Amino acid sequence: MEESLVLFFEQYSNYALIISIVINIIVAIFGFIPSFFVTGANIIFFGFWTGTLISFLGESIGAIVAFLLYRKGFKKLSTLTVEKYPKAKTLLWKQGKEAFYLILSLRLLPFVPSGLVTFISSIGKVSFIIFAIASTIGKVPALLIEAYSVYQVTQWTWQGKVILVGAGLYLVILAFKNNRNK
């Protein structure tokens, strides 16, 4: 996917920046599609720092657009669904500083799906401004870690190999646990 996106950027190089941001917005709206392939394509095409900055802008704008869309369309429908997830309920009712710090901390954790944080925030009581600021600030370290990891993997450095082995082991353990629970 990453290679296809780089080829697309090359084909439409005058619009690559806009295309990248739009793709990041779409990824954020869907909420379950990982963004690392866009980050990887951005780093390969634009270079490490510019690609990381473009990914940051796209993901931040994407989270804000997704928040607004989710809030408009899912608020009433989804409150009942979230009741099934006790940890998610915590964010659902937070406001002000508490919501800010919770969103910020959830954005810092790489294993918490970004789409889930956006979705629960949007149907909860958190204000748009609090969400936008906390989400954007929280994306900085998370995206730097993601960008560094993607860069190391694409450059096939020893750190990239360790990252891939670690990700592979994680997936094997996850599959084992999932199979064991069945």
Side-chain angles (χ1 to χ4, degrees), residues 91 94-105 126-127 130 134:
L91 178 55
K94 296 289 183 192
Q95 291 178 298
K97 279 185 188 178
E98 287 181 312
F100 177 86
Y101 288 120
L102 187 55
I103 292 166
L104 180 67
S105 63
V126 65
S127 74
I130 296 277

Side-chain angles (χ1 to χ4, degrees), residues 38-129:
V38 182
T39 301
N42 285 342
I43 289 170
I44 291 167
F45 186 77
F46 296 105
F48 182 79
W49 289 110
T50 304
T52 301
L53 177 62
I54 291 167
S55 289
F56 170 74
L57 290 172
E59 286 191 26
S60 296
I61 294 167
I64 290 168
V65 169
F67 177 88
L68 293 170
L69 289 174
Y70 294 169
R71 178 150 282 179
K72 193 137 185 107
F74 294 117
K75 189 166 180 128
K76 291 178 185 170
L77 174 69
S78 302
T79 306
L80 298 173
T81 307
V82 175
E83 293 291 327
K84 297 177 190 174
Y85 304 99
K87 290 185 180 182
K89 281 173 50 178
T90 304
L91 178 55
L92 198 59
W93 307 116
K94 296 289 183 192
Q95 291 178 298
K97 279 185 188 178
E98 287 181 312
F100 177 86
Y101 288 120
L102 187 55
I103 292 166
L104 180 67
S105 63
L106 289 171
R107 286 287 191 229
L108 295 173
L109 301 172
F111 54 85
V112 176
S114 183
L116 183 63
V117 175
T118 302
F119 179 72
I120 293 170
S121 298
S122 71
I123 63 172
K125 299 222 180 249
V126 65
S127 74
F128 169 74
I129 296 296

